[in-house]
Amino acid sequence: MNTHYLMEHVSRHLHTLIQRYSASWDLLEAFCARADLQDDHMGNVLKDYFSLPDNSRSIPVFVSLDQQAVYASIPAGKEIFLLGPVTFSVPVNIRRQHRAHQIDSGLIPLIPVCDFQEFISDVLLISNLLCTRTISEEDLLRENCIQPLVKYYLEKDHTAYIFENREICKLHNPYDQEFREFTSIENGNIEELQNSLSEDYPGEIGLLAKTPLRHMKNRGIVVIALASRAAIRGGILPETAYSLSDSYIQKIEECCDIPTVLHLFHSAEYHYARMVRDHKKEISDLQVLRPNKYTEECKTYIFSHLHEKICVKDIAGKLNIHANYLSELFHAHEGITITAYIQREKIRLAKNLLTYSKYTYSEIAAYLGYSSQSHLGKQFKQLAGMTMYQYRNKYGAKYF
């Protein structure tokens, strides 16, 4: 193993120092491409701390010095790698806090700020390349970030919560109502959804946060997540369902009042139900076969590349099958050619852009990978039954 290259790679990625020690904490090698970051003495500061019996294990250990710098000690056979200092772009709870009187105040402004996920990825890279035991991200987080008493307090609070609810005869709404609600979305049945949402029960939703607004937002996020999965079971492309879920949840996070949040997540449920209803009608009219792995992957590829010029040959290459076989398979299962499906999805996206954006016709054409505005206009009129100008004039939002 070329450990020097590995050290250089990680150091340049995180813009920090990495040092390699023997099992007895004799410095073997150090690397840092930054001339302004000199931190050799911290190995001696942390030597005793990392040598404690608590840390004689194969899992890397993080330590925070005065909550100003984080280091990672990474066991690697008979050697130890010391990575750091770093700070993180978002607050992260580090279990082991160490008071370091020797920390150089001049070092603090030079400490690089990095993404926590990138930091643990590099720690795992070193650990799993140089050790026989595979360390997972879960192992790393449990050892360094999760307080041991978290589970105890969770169980304690849960027990108290159940006891209190029993004392005051407080119950949640029955599951069968929730089942009907999301089954109606899966079936694309608008009337059943409306009926399930209008049902009345003496129970309660449950407390999802300490403030009413945050409670309603959390409730909305849960409902939208469940609705998106119901829509996927109903036949909606996962990427379509997930992206719509992201949009609704982001909008909910921006809300400042409870009625708007309530309106948004119920709107999402109806939105998903209508999508499933329309999808089921399409496949019913076409009398297509059951979904196929390759056709689903093909549709996912098309969804992700609608802003490009899409060729059947490229899709087949991505799926590692012959283009003619993919075309025949897609037509048999979807009742439409791949080219026609691509055109339909591009026009569907064009309709959304004409309705909800201020992009010009030429900008929309360029975004969707058309060679010209007239090329898009011709296909749009053929599939939509009107010109882009007529469509925007009829359905376009009047305010932005």
Side-chain angles (χ1 to χ4, degrees):
M1 172 64 68
N2 189 341
T3 55
H4 177 78
Y5 177 81
L6 178 61
M7 292 172 65
E8 181 176 348
H9 169 79
V10 172
S11 173
R12 290 185 182 278
H13 183 224
L14 298 178
H15 310 292
T16 192
L17 174 71
I18 183 168
Q19 302 167 78
R20 183 166 62 92
Y21 290 87
S22 67
S24 57
W25 278 92
D26 297 318
L27 182 62
L28 302 176
E29 184 181 3
F31 182 86
C32 184
R34 291 176 53 187
D36 61 339
L37 185 61
Q38 300 299 323
D39 189 31
D40 297 347
H41 66 289
M42 289 310 301
N44 293 324
V45 173
L46 296 170
K47 174 181 176 181
D48 294 335
Y49 188 85
F50 282 126
S51 299
L52 293 174
D54 177 53
N55 298 321
S56 57
R57 59 192 70 191
S58 59
I59 299 178
V61 170
F62 301 166
V63 62
S64 173
L65 302 185
D66 296 336
Q67 297 184 338
Q68 295 175 317
V70 175
Y71 291 79
S73 168
I74 310 167
K78 296 181 179 180
E79 297 179 344
I80 302 168
F81 287 81
L82 184 62
L83 178 62
V86 298
T87 58
F88 302 124
S89 53
V90 296
V92 176
N93 173 55
I94 302 298
R95 280 178 53 189
R96 295 173 178 84
Q97 300 287 332
H98 183 54
R99 182 71 179 173
H101 298 288
Q102 300 94 329
I103 191 169
D104 185 357
S105 59
L107 174 67
I108 296 174
L110 304 176
I111 297 175
V113 179
C114 69
D115 180 80
F116 179 66
Q117 195 64 42
E118 292 184 351
F119 179 74
I120 62 175
S121 294
D122 282 346
V123 170
L124 289 172
L125 177 67
I126 297 172
S127 180
N128 289 321
L129 282 178
L130 300 179
C131 293
T132 54
R133 178 192 168 185
T134 299
I135 306 298
S136 69
E137 182 176 323
E138 184 180 355
D139 295 331
L140 202 61
L141 295 178
R142 184 170 53 247
E143 178 65 35
N144 293 288
C145 301
I146 309 302
Q147 294 293 347
L149 294 179
V150 166
K151 186 175 181 181
Y152 165 77
Y153 286 120
L154 173 63
E155 294 292 344
K156 180 182 177 182
D157 292 345
H158 181 224
T159 301
Y161 184 66
I162 292 177
F163 181 81
E164 180 183 344
N165 286 349
R166 283 174 177 167
E167 285 291 298
I168 62 177
C169 298
K170 179 180 176 182
L171 298 174
H172 287 80
N173 281 344
Y175 171 69
D176 58 346
Q177 183 278 329
E178 179 183 307
F179 178 80
R180 284 191 292 274
E181 181 178 340
F182 295 104
T183 300
S184 65
I185 295 174
E186 182 178 344
N187 294 331
N189 192 319
I190 308 297
E191 184 178 354
E192 283 187 7
L193 175 60
Q194 187 175 5
N195 291 337
S196 68
L197 292 176
S198 65
E199 293 178 21
D200 182 36
Y201 289 96
E204 299 182 15
I205 297 297
L207 189 62
L208 303 181
K210 294 181 179 180
T211 64
L213 179 59
R214 185 67 258 173
H215 160 80
M216 188 60 71
K217 286 185 177 182
N218 289 348
R219 178 184 166 191
I221 292 170
V222 171
V223 167
I224 292 171
L226 292 173
S228 67
R229 274 59 178 180
I232 292 171
R233 293 194 299 272
I236 299 302
L237 194 67
E239 279 300 324
T240 302
Y242 292 148
S243 60
L244 184 62
S245 170
D246 293 345
S247 299
Y248 270 107
I249 290 174
Q250 289 174 31
K251 189 56 64 179
I252 279 178
E253 285 295 333
E254 296 172 5
C255 291
C256 300
D257 65 288
I258 290 175
T260 303
V261 175
L262 187 64
H263 167 74
L264 275 173
F265 70 74
H266 282 326
S267 296
E269 290 186 279
Y270 281 107
H271 195 156
Y272 279 118
R274 288 193 298 270
M275 289 172 66
V276 174
R277 178 197 62 191
D278 295 343
H279 171 74
K280 289 185 179 295
K281 185 177 184 305
E282 282 181 1
I283 62 176
S284 174
D285 292 344
L286 295 171
Q287 297 181 344
V288 299
L289 302 176
R290 297 177 66 85
N292 172 272
K293 171 191 173 184
Y294 289 119
T295 59
E296 293 303 301
E297 290 181 358
C298 179
K299 289 192 289 185
T300 299
Y301 180 95
I302 293 169
F303 177 88
S304 304
H305 296 79
L306 278 178
H307 59 288
E308 305 171 9
K309 184 176 180 180
I310 307 173
C311 299
V312 177
K313 184 179 179 181
D314 294 336
I315 304 174
K318 186 71 175 179
L319 303 184
N320 199 29
I321 61 174
H322 196 278
N324 290 339
Y325 175 68
L326 176 62
S327 296
E328 293 173 2
L329 196 65
F330 193 93
H331 188 270
H333 284 268
E334 299 296 325
I336 188 174
T337 66
I338 297 178
T339 302
Y341 179 85
I342 293 170
Q343 290 176 354
R344 188 183 74 185
E345 293 305 302
K346 283 181 179 283
I347 298 306
R348 183 175 296 177
L349 181 52
K351 288 179 179 179
N352 285 340
L353 293 171
L354 289 169
T355 303
Y356 300 110
S357 80
K358 295 189 291 185
Y359 291 121
T360 65
Y361 306 129
S362 58
E363 287 173 336
I364 294 174
Y367 174 77
L368 293 174
Y370 283 89
S371 58
S372 65
Q373 177 184 327
S374 60
H375 185 198
L376 169 61
K378 183 178 179 181
Q379 283 191 3
F380 189 93
K381 186 174 183 180
Q382 182 181 357
L383 294 179
M386 62 181 77
T387 66
M388 290 191 289
Y389 172 81
Q390 291 169 332
Y391 190 91
R392 172 168 276 175
N393 193 48
K394 183 175 182 179
Y395 298 109
K398 304 305 179 185
Y399 61 91
F400 291 93

